[in-house]
Amino acid sequence: QVQLVESGGGLVQPGGSLRLSCAASGFTFSSTMMSWLRRAPGKGLEWVADIDEGGGGERYGNYVQGRFTISRDNAKGMLYLQMSSLQPEDTAVYYCAMGPARRAWGQGTQVTVSS
Protein backbone atom coordinates (compact mmCIF):
# COMPACT_ATOMS: atom_id res chain seq x y z
CA GLN A 1 0.00 0.00 0.00
CA VAL A 2 2.95 2.32 0.50
CA GLN A 3 3.44 4.32 -2.66
CA LEU A 4 6.09 6.89 -3.49
CA VAL A 5 6.04 8.50 -6.92
CA GLU A 6 8.85 10.81 -7.96
CA SER A 7 8.48 13.39 -10.71
CA GLY A 8 10.08 16.54 -12.04
CA GLY A 9 13.27 15.14 -13.49
CA GLY A 10 14.57 16.09 -16.90
CA LEU A 11 17.42 17.60 -18.86
CA VAL A 12 19.00 20.79 -17.55
CA GLN A 13 22.15 22.71 -18.43
CA PRO A 14 25.00 23.12 -15.94
CA GLY A 15 24.18 25.91 -13.52
CA GLY A 16 20.47 25.39 -13.95
CA SER A 17 17.76 24.51 -11.47
CA LEU A 18 15.18 21.79 -11.13
CA ARG A 19 12.50 20.90 -8.60
CA LEU A 20 11.71 17.28 -7.85
CA SER A 21 8.50 16.10 -6.23
CA CYS A 22 7.53 12.90 -4.45
CA ALA A 23 3.88 12.05 -3.89
CA ALA A 24 3.46 9.80 -0.85
CA SER A 25 0.50 7.62 0.11
CA GLY A 26 -0.33 4.48 2.07
CA PHE A 27 1.27 5.52 5.36
CA THR A 28 1.22 8.33 7.89
CA PHE A 29 3.39 10.73 5.96
CA SER A 30 3.26 13.48 8.58
CA SER A 31 4.83 11.14 11.18
CA THR A 32 7.59 9.84 8.94
CA MET A 33 11.05 11.16 8.25
CA MET A 34 11.78 11.28 4.54
CA SER A 35 14.90 11.19 2.41
CA TRP A 36 16.18 11.80 -1.08
CA LEU A 37 18.84 9.49 -2.50
CA ARG A 38 20.41 9.17 -5.92
CA ARG A 39 22.26 6.70 -8.10
CA ALA A 40 24.60 7.99 -10.80
CA PRO A 41 25.67 5.82 -13.76
CA GLY A 42 29.25 5.41 -12.56
CA LYS A 43 28.57 5.44 -8.84
CA GLY A 44 26.71 3.57 -6.15
CA LEU A 45 23.75 4.77 -4.17
CA GLU A 46 24.36 8.17 -2.57
CA TRP A 47 22.47 9.93 0.19
CA VAL A 48 21.27 13.40 -0.79
CA ALA A 49 19.11 14.81 2.01
CA ASP A 50 16.85 14.04 4.98
CA ILE A 51 13.98 15.96 6.51
CA ASP A 52 12.26 15.28 9.82
CA GLU A 53 8.54 14.68 10.25
CA GLY A 54 7.55 18.28 10.81
CA GLY A 55 9.95 19.76 8.30
CA GLY A 56 11.98 21.60 10.92
CA GLY A 57 15.16 19.57 10.65
CA GLU A 58 17.16 19.08 7.47
CA ARG A 59 20.41 17.26 6.70
CA TYR A 60 22.40 17.17 3.48
CA GLY A 61 25.20 15.25 1.89
CA ASN A 62 28.46 17.10 1.37
CA TYR A 63 28.18 17.23 -2.41
CA VAL A 64 24.79 18.97 -2.40
CA GLN A 65 24.90 21.11 0.74
CA GLY A 66 24.31 24.75 -0.11
CA ARG A 67 22.79 23.92 -3.49
CA PHE A 68 19.82 21.66 -2.70
CA THR A 69 16.88 22.26 -0.39
CA ILE A 70 14.58 19.54 0.90
CA SER A 71 11.07 20.43 2.02
CA ARG A 72 7.68 18.86 2.58
CA ASP A 73 3.98 19.65 2.63
CA ASN A 74 2.37 17.26 5.09
CA ALA A 75 -1.15 18.38 4.24
CA LYS A 76 -0.59 17.32 0.64
CA GLY A 77 1.61 14.31 1.33
CA MET A 78 4.36 15.79 -0.81
CA LEU A 79 8.14 15.79 -0.52
CA TYR A 80 10.26 18.17 -2.58
CA LEU A 81 13.86 18.68 -3.57
CA GLN A 82 14.79 22.07 -4.98
CA MET A 83 18.08 21.78 -6.84
CA SER A 84 20.17 24.72 -8.00
CA SER A 85 23.64 25.23 -9.46
CA LEU A 86 23.35 21.81 -11.00
CA GLN A 87 26.50 20.17 -12.32
CA PRO A 88 27.10 17.16 -14.56
CA GLU A 89 28.08 15.20 -11.46
CA ASP A 90 24.49 15.57 -10.25
CA THR A 91 23.27 13.45 -13.14
CA ALA A 92 21.51 10.49 -11.55
CA VAL A 93 18.23 8.79 -10.87
CA TYR A 94 16.75 10.46 -7.81
CA TYR A 95 14.62 8.50 -5.35
CA CYS A 96 12.52 9.43 -2.35
CA ALA A 97 12.46 7.02 0.58
CA MET A 98 10.55 6.72 3.85
CA GLY A 99 11.77 6.40 7.41
CA PRO A 100 15.22 6.13 8.97
CA ALA A 101 15.59 2.63 7.51
CA ARG A 102 14.40 3.81 4.08
CA ARG A 103 12.17 0.75 3.86
CA ALA A 104 10.28 1.95 0.80
CA TRP A 105 11.47 3.78 -2.29
CA GLY A 106 9.83 5.18 -5.35
CA GLN A 107 10.77 4.22 -8.89
CA GLY A 108 12.95 7.28 -9.28
CA THR A 109 13.12 10.22 -11.66
CA GLN A 110 16.01 10.84 -14.05
CA VAL A 111 17.97 14.08 -13.76
CA THR A 112 20.46 14.77 -16.53
CA VAL A 113 22.76 17.78 -16.34
CA SER A 114 24.48 18.37 -19.66
CA SER A 115 25.31 21.12 -22.11
Side-chain angles (χ1 to χ4, degrees), residues 4 27 31-35 50 53 97-104:
L4 301 170
F27 65 103
S31 299
T32 306
M33 183 266 276
M34 298 294 294
S35 300
D50 290 339
E53 300 83 57
M98 63 172 290
R102 302 181 178 103
R103 71 180 76 180

Side-chain angles (χ1 to χ4, degrees), residues 2-41:
V2 173
Q3 187 173 19
L4 301 170
V5 181
E6 300 94 339
S7 62
L11 176 64
V12 63
Q13 294 186 357
S17 299
L18 208 59
R19 189 196 194 199
L20 306 183
S21 299
C22 173
S25 61
F27 65 103
T28 307
F29 179 75
S30 61
S31 299
T32 306
M33 183 266 276
M34 298 294 294
S35 300
W36 285 99
L37 304 98
R38 68 186 184 184
R39 186 186 297 276

